[in-house]
Amino acid sequence: MSIRDVVASTPLVDNHAHAVEPLERERITDSFADYFTEGQLSPEHARHTLNYRAVLDLLAEQFGSADEATLLQQRAEVDLASYARTLIDGTNTETILVDDGFPNVALDEFDAYTDADLRPIHRIENVAETLLPASESLASFEDAFVDALEEALDGEFVALKTVIAYRTGLRVRAHDRDAVRRAYDEVCRDWDGRVEHSVFNDYLVHLAAEMAAAYDAPLQFHTGFGDADAHPQFVDPTYLYEFLQAHPSTPVVLLHGGYPYTRAAGYVTATLDNVYLDLSLATPFVQHGVEPLISQALELAPTTKLLYASDAFSVPELYVLAARRFRADLSSVLERLAADGFVTESYAEDVARRILRENAVSLYDL
Amino acid sequence: MSIRDVVASTPLVDNHAHAVEPLERERITDSFADYFTEGQLSPEHARHTLNYRAVLDLLAEQFGSADEATLLQQRAEVDLASYARTLIDGTNTETILVDDGFPNVALDEFDAYTDADLRPIHRIENVAETLLPASESLASFEDAFVDALEEALDGEFVALKTVIAYRTGLRVRAHDRDAVRRAYDEVCRDWDGRVEHSVFNDYLVHLAAEMAAAYDAPLQFHTGFGDADAHPQFVDPTYLYEFLQAHPSTPVVLLHGGYPYTRAAGYVTATLDNVYLDLSLATPFVQHGVEPLISQALELAPTTKLLYASDAFSVPELYVLAARRFRADLSSVLERLAADGFVTESYAEDVARRILRENAVSLYDL
Amino acid sequence: MSIRDVVASTPLVDNHAHAVEPLERERITDSFADYFTEGQLSPEHARHTLNYRAVLDLLAEQFGSADEATLLQQRAEVDLASYARTLIDGTNTETILVDDGFPNVALDEFDAYTDADLRPIHRIENVAETLLPASESLASFEDAFVDALEEALDGEFVALKTVIAYRTGLRVRAHDRDAVRRAYDEVCRDWDGRVEHSVFNDYLVHLAAEMAAAYDAPLQFHTGFGDADAHPQFVDPTYLYEFLQAHPSTPVVLLHGGYPYTRAAGYVTATLDNVYLDLSLATPFVQHGVEPLISQALELAPTTKLLYASDAFSVPELYVLAARRFRADLSSVLERLAADGFVTESYAEDVARRILRENAVSLYDL
């Protein structure tokens, strides 16, 4: 087999994605472009990212070449279950690890949209937000939080996930018990349903890291670009360095290639044994930037530490855009590395199997 | 028409540049290289940037192949008006938005050097520096500053510009009135003709943003590399994030592609609706780096938000280097995107027209 | 001669490397991969960087194609002196500037492993650590430190080197005498053999910069990625900006291309006259990333300010990987620049000679 054949035929383990959800007709006809940007963009701009141009091509492929408005109307009329199955299962994805934090779709509901094996990931901020209103003290909250994570990891959940990058940023620090107690009191006093307190969020992530270490389960971090909530500076994964050093037994996955801090993410991954790097979201959002992204990640990071994911959410098209883009560009990068003598063909094929599937199977013990 | 033909034939709107100025003979024969670096470099180094090598090629094209010293002597002897017209008008530039802050050349004087339509941009730090000595209180200064900006925007000025990146950096914060009052007092007490006070400069920029919003006029920020005054860390446009979020109705243009923070600049542009991205100065200074720059900007930023400019100043050659470099590399990037299936030829041609001209016409209401 | 011929035939001046050292057999058979990563990686990951794959190819070239274990056994059995001579002298390296800080091998011992001219570099933190235990006051320490550096620079040493990036980071600040005195007291009180005190390390580097200026000898800074001691954020050379401005007469070499902050390193180099940029360590560690690294450095930095080095240490293979990689990629970059019209062939050949040899000869007065 050629490198391209191996890349094309290896079943994917998608180590971070979200469920598909039914959408109201107007969401599709009027603002479908919103699903292909992370920004707060008006339609005049959202319709002009290259990622949205890519999905229009996909719709044309599905429905026949037509103008944008017609394609969106046709898209709005699909039977979602069969449409999603055609798209998602067409990617040859074996297993999807599903972030339960968004959208609000149960796993067995998502199951109607794909034949892939679905394995849940627990978003820790949501756990905390569920438990906080009923808690009576930091100690009782902590017990309940730990119990909830234990129950998850004893059960079907294969990993934890944190969105601290969106809340208070990746400069996660250690705080003493008094500071945490004060933070807990402040969070309770100002409770609005959302955990967004620098000290308290840091505390949650440290606690989750200890739980993850105890279960040898990975803790996933959103890093890099994302929606407007995140500060574009504090999504840089180098801010996590002290935290990562403090939890050497916790397998940590830096999601999204830390784009645009991808070389820095590769450097951290190459430096600390417990760190892994996923290239989702940037795949497919940055389109022609995915190939350099993969190439840059391979500059320093061991090939045993890179992971495929889609970070697809809500619409099945994102699964397709991610899988196609990643397979095409991984092929190109590996072919070029082999042609230029950096790796043998055979090693390149091993790398392809690892990144697309095996590294995740081993890391998440699938 | 092919993509390359569209790129070659679309008239440019140069959304940020500076006037040409007459130079003493010795400035040209002895230190012409200074105009092709932003650094504080001795001649032995300044003569060896690739940007300076490019202008030597241009001089050889104009005056016939010859050694450097001869070319510089010939350059020193030109009739500036006709030489500048030949060069600038040879770029097919329809409109130039001219920063009035540097050099000290009036717009109708610059008019002698080009047939392009010239539209002024008002540099706010210069306005403040003119008004401060005569002001008697913060309130009177503020009234005068607001009046001056209103007069400018009621008149011919199409945008405001700030060089806060060179003064106190892009970490622009909000300050309460007491802090601003203290800052005003300190600036007045230590007055040396230059506004460089972290709180006061932040205040000016917030005020300018409000004025710009009221007039729906863009506010341009120097971002990215520049002369030695700027700290290379605090020119990173991600520092502006809170400011940009605080002024959602102010159209903001991040100048110079934020080089080397270009991917981060594209991320900010793709996230907040009011942000636009210009790729000048880096074009042409980084030479073979311009093509990757354009490509990286297109990874996330909508094609409706990218703008051409030269940031040319003082010497007409910079207009030529910028226009040729940008046209050549935009063609290459768009041709590659079309060839690789990321966009159709027709969409690529639309993108070319937008970046070279239409986005600016719309944004600045030309 | 073609560009590639000039690159291939120019003798190298390696402006920053370390001695080769004899290793115990098990270091080679069991953990040879450790020499090809800077990270704290377990063998399962360390064996899968592309840099390690490259050295396996080199071993196969030396010992005949075989499996990894066999190659490592053959490597463990070599006569180091003749093996090292074959490898290092095969790179056509004329002069090696040797950091005396690591490994603990005397220069005349290293001399047995190569015919290259060896010139020592003095690592200032080691000097301080030797002198501190015997010092009785800040003043007496300072006298001894200054004497030691003077003796070195009066003697054979051609440059100073600091590893402050690994200790307290590159945000080097100026401190007043009282603060330094307190820092000295704290360092002495908590003495553990290692100088790692933010104020005190900053002070040492300022003092070294003054000495370097007095002798017109370069001061080398580790910048960019390195072992796990370094914080991946504070190795960014832009943090050095105030320091570099404060010492305009000190020639400073930013080592390792500041990877991944290479464009930023080029920007600093292009801005301040006294700054030079070396591309070692990243060469060869980032493998296929070396070509873009060289290209990015040339975007802004004058061609008179870029320097070749290997940063090889302990094993002779690193000399070979660095020299081959750099020659191959410098050729490719310069050929492309010439083919695309950015430089003439003749200028490209000059650039090759400068980067490989002449810039260092001039800077270090060899």
Side-chain angles (χ1 to χ4, degrees), chain C residues 4-301:
Chain C
R4 199 159 285 265
D5 289 339
V6 171
V7 172
S9 63
T10 302
L12 300 173
V13 174
D14 184 341
N15 100 115
H16 185 84
H18 302 259
V20 163
E21 61 178 336
L23 300 174
E24 288 177 23
R25 181 184 174 79
E26 289 68 30
R27 289 292 293 150
I28 296 170
T29 53
D30 297 357
S31 47
F32 197 58
D34 288 357
Y35 294 94
F36 301 88
T37 175
E38 292 278 296
Q40 292 178 324
L41 298 180
S42 55
E44 61 167 322
H45 294 311
R47 289 181 51 247
H48 290 288
T49 65
L50 297 196
N51 195 39
Y52 183 65
R53 306 326 288 181
V55 79
L56 289 182
D57 285 350
L58 177 58
L59 295 183
E61 186 188 308
Q62 295 297 312
F63 304 120
S65 188
D67 65 87
E68 185 179 347
T70 307
L71 289 171
L72 295 177
Q73 280 182 5
Q74 290 177 286
R75 170 61 175 86
E77 284 157 17
V78 299
D79 172 68
L80 184 58
S82 72
Y83 180 72
R85 276 180 179 279
T86 303
L87 291 191
I88 300 178
D89 295 345
T91 62
N92 188 17
T93 300
E94 176 180 282
T95 307
I96 304 173
L97 310 197
V98 186
D99 178 350
D100 69 351
F102 171 83
N104 193 7
V105 171
L107 212 60
D108 52 4
E109 207 177 326
F110 183 23
D111 211 37
Y113 299 122
T114 174
D115 282 339
D117 190 21
L118 304 180
R119 310 290 294 270
I121 299 166
H122 217 23
R123 192 186 285 198
I124 65 165
E125 286 81 7
N126 292 26
V127 174
E129 287 163 358
T130 302
L131 299 174
L132 267 164
S135 73
E136 287 176 358
S137 67
L138 175 59
S140 75
F141 166 77
E142 189 168 294
D143 286 346
F145 185 72
V146 166
D147 285 352
L149 298 192
E150 282 184 352
E151 191 183 326
L153 294 171
D154 281 331
E156 295 199 338
F157 287 83
V158 295
L160 303 179
K161 154 88 184 279
T162 170
V163 291
I164 194 168
Y166 279 127
R167 301 293 174 88
T168 50
L170 293 179
R171 191 158 45 178
V172 177
R173 280 169 279 207
H175 306 283
D176 63 29
R177 194 69 183 178
D178 281 347
V180 173
R181 197 168 286 116
R182 279 193 303 276
Y184 170 82
D185 290 343
E186 287 165 17
V187 168
C188 291
R189 189 192 61 204
D190 306 330
W191 183 243
D192 65 353
R194 184 173 165 95
V195 176
E196 190 161 4
H197 183 294
S198 174
V199 174
F200 199 71
N201 287 58
D202 288 356
Y203 152 78
L204 292 177
V205 174
H206 276 290
L207 204 51
E210 289 170 24
M211 303 295 300
Y215 281 81
D216 197 24
L219 172 60
Q220 299 185 337
F221 277 82
H222 176 104
T223 72
F225 90 105
D227 72 40
D229 282 1
H231 190 294
Q233 210 156 76
F234 298 111
V235 298
D236 176 344
T238 61
Y239 280 106
L240 272 181
Y241 199 69
E242 289 91 341
F243 174 87
L244 296 169
Q245 287 189 305
H247 295 281
S249 301
T250 306
V252 170
V253 180
L254 306 175
L255 297 172
H256 318 322
Y259 182 95
Y261 310 104
T262 305
R263 281 194 164 113
Y267 162 18
V268 173
T269 306
T271 303
L272 300 179
D273 207 49
N274 55 320
V275 179
Y276 294 76
L277 184 59
D278 154 292
L279 299 167
S280 63
L281 186 56
T283 308
F285 275 63
V286 304
Q287 288 290 313
H288 58 289
V290 174
E291 187 177 324
L293 190 83
I294 296 171
S295 185
Q296 289 178 7
L298 283 163
E299 287 174 359
L300 275 184

